[in-house]
Amino acid sequence: MTGAVRLEPVDERNLEPLLSVAAAEAEPEDVMPPVDAPAGWSLARRDAFREFHRASLGGLNGPTGTAMYAIVSGGEVVGMVRMTRRDEPGTVETGMWLGRSARGRGLGAAALRQLLHVAAGAGMHTVVANTTPDNAGAISVLRKCGAELREEDGVLHARMSLDSALPIR
């Protein structure tokens, strides 16, 4: 079914499937912070991917203030969406990636809608995101989820208020 997803907190059970889809269908710089490692999906980069995700296993109240969720569609992990506490009370920042084969099927918007509901349930009032003005996929997802968009210094800033009606799941 197009657009049907479920979010699962990233844990040891789904970390390897998440790494597998990342390595097969995404570039390292699109799914994790830069690391000093050989280019591509080297062993060192795979280890860094695992450690990056394990650092956030404590969720919003853990040391990184980040909750990460595997995006599951058709029983398969297809990407990841996260929310990270910001300095402003009640505000989290989100980021997401999907494997190439999952793009363009409505899964990104479905995942973000679910994340907005999770954020509201955690007491958040605002979800923000940043992307580049040429990232058409991200812009489409953000618009479908009711984001207010503004460009400043080559960065597109998105803001979604959770105090108004949330997008339908």
Side-chain angles (χ1 to χ4, degrees):
M1 175 192 302
T2 300
V5 300
R6 133 177 130 259
L7 301 184
E8 293 180 356
V10 171
D11 58 19
E12 291 298 330
R13 180 183 47 79
N14 58 28
L15 183 55
E16 289 306 312
L18 186 63
L19 174 55
S20 292
V21 74
E25 299 195 29
E27 299 303 320
E29 58 272 10
D30 294 338
V31 301
M32 61 186 279
V35 295
D36 186 20
W41 282 103
S42 63
L43 225 52
R45 198 171 302 272
R46 288 170 187 260
D47 287 343
F49 180 94
R50 289 181 187 99
E51 291 311 309
F52 170 66
H53 287 80
R54 285 180 177 137
S56 294
L57 293 181
L60 285 180
N61 296 320
T64 65
T66 299
M68 294 188 176
Y69 299 91
I71 302 169
V72 179
S73 176
E76 300 292 324
V77 174
V78 298
M80 189 275 304
V81 63
R82 67 163 174 83
M83 61 179 169
T84 302
R85 287 188 185 274
R86 296 283 299 254
D87 289 340
E88 312 93 270
T91 301
V92 288
E93 177 183 359
T94 191
M96 167 190 322
W97 63 267
L98 290 171
R100 286 180 197 94
S101 66
R103 297 175 190 166
R105 299 181 10 216
L107 303 178
L112 182 54
R113 285 184 197 105
Q114 286 193 26
L115 185 82
L116 295 176
H117 286 272
V118 171
M124 299 300 128
H125 300 285
T126 305
V127 176
V128 297
N130 295 317
T131 191
T132 58
D134 62 343
N135 188 338
I139 294 167
S140 174
V141 166
L142 291 164
R143 281 193 174 127
K144 287 176 184 174
C145 292
E148 296 173 19
L149 304 174
R150 72 176 169 76
E151 187 177 341
E152 183 179 326
D153 297 327
V155 176
L156 192 68
H157 302 278
R159 183 174 201 83
M160 293 159 279
S161 173
L162 304 180
D163 294 331
S164 56
L166 288 174
I168 297 172
R169 290 186 181 174

